[in-house]
Amino acid sequence: MKNVISDGIEFKIRRTAATVVGLTSGHQKNLIIPPEINGVPVNEIGEGAFFNQDIYSVHIPDTVEYVQKRAFKDCKNLTTVTKYETHHPA
């Protein structure tokens, strides 16, 4: 496992999937989580990943299957969470 940061979002990457684990300082206020990072699908938002962050919106790809406890706890300015469709090869 290794951690990777992309566009201010921190991911924990395993062999077959990636988890959003947090944000770095200076992150965007309107987040778009990519469907994959380093060639593996992003399938989870980890526990407390965005805890108490100053974010306004989060766009989550349909590759994300799990949102853990307190992922968005105390995000007082969060007004929009949407799930978007990604292209899946046949």
Side-chain angles (χ1 to χ4, degrees), residues 3-68:
N3 283 21
V4 171
I5 295 171
S6 178
D7 292 328
I9 303 171
E10 185 175 1
F11 301 87
K12 181 178 286 184
I13 300 179
R14 299 176 305 284
R15 283 185 289 171
T16 60
T19 299
V20 176
V21 294
L23 297 173
T24 61
S25 61
H27 61 79
Q28 301 290 321
K29 304 288 187 186
N30 299 298
L31 303 175
I32 300 174
I33 298 172
E36 68 175 43
I37 189 85
N38 285 12
V40 297
V42 176
N43 77 333
E44 180 177 12
I45 298 174
E47 184 171 343
F50 302 120
F51 176 76
N52 199 32
Q53 293 290 334
D54 184 22
I55 54 178
Y56 304 142
S57 66
V58 180
H59 301 281
I60 302 170
D62 60 4
T63 56
V64 171
E65 299 172 342
Y66 309 101
V67 177
Q68 300 298 335

